[in-house]
Amino acid sequence: QQEYTQNKQQSKSTYFYSNPKLSRAYTILGLSPSVSNEAIKQGYRKLALENHPDKVAYLGEAVRLQAESKFQSISEAYEQVKEYRNIK
């Protein structure tokens, strides 16, 4: 049982380091791959609130569009991590 668990963890870490999209997703979220699923959810929520386009709409269209782009990157990164970790 312990050997199976070690092999599974090793294959996950190998996949993480060999998958640049997943590595980039963690970087965008500002999180380490070793954090808990709950920490990932909390980190995503915090970034989403800070970077939501509606929060900066009063600063002008250019700023809103930039925030929209960043918000979209954050959302896509979270979806990749959720899929990889099977987070519901």
Side-chain angles (χ1 to χ4, degrees):
Q1 177 66 24
Q2 185 179 9
E3 186 177 317
Y4 171 76
T5 304
Q6 287 174 342
N7 286 341
K8 189 173 180 181
Q9 288 173 343
Q10 185 178 14
S11 70
K12 272 190 160 189
S13 66
T14 302
Y15 177 76
F16 169 74
Y17 289 111
S18 67
N19 185 338
K21 279 187 173 182
L22 188 58
S23 179
R24 185 173 181 273
Y26 279 104
T27 301
I28 290 170
L29 295 173
L31 299 169
S32 165
S34 62
V35 299
S36 69
N37 288 351
E38 190 59 36
I40 289 174
K41 288 179 185 180
Q42 289 173 351
Y44 164 71
R45 287 183 191 125
K46 181 180 176 189
L47 281 175
L49 282 174
E50 289 173 357
N51 295 283
H52 198 281
D54 290 347
K55 287 206 170 220
V56 295
Y58 70 94
L59 295 173
E61 187 65 15
V63 175
R64 189 189 65 76
L65 289 174
Q66 188 177 15
E68 215 172 81
S69 175
K70 185 163 184 164
F71 184 78
Q72 184 176 5
S73 294
I74 292 167
S75 297
E76 289 171 0
Y78 180 61
E79 287 302 317
Q80 289 174 348
V81 172
K82 267 181 41 176
E83 184 179 314
Y84 174 70
R85 288 182 164 230
N86 260 347
I87 298 174
K88 300 290 179 194

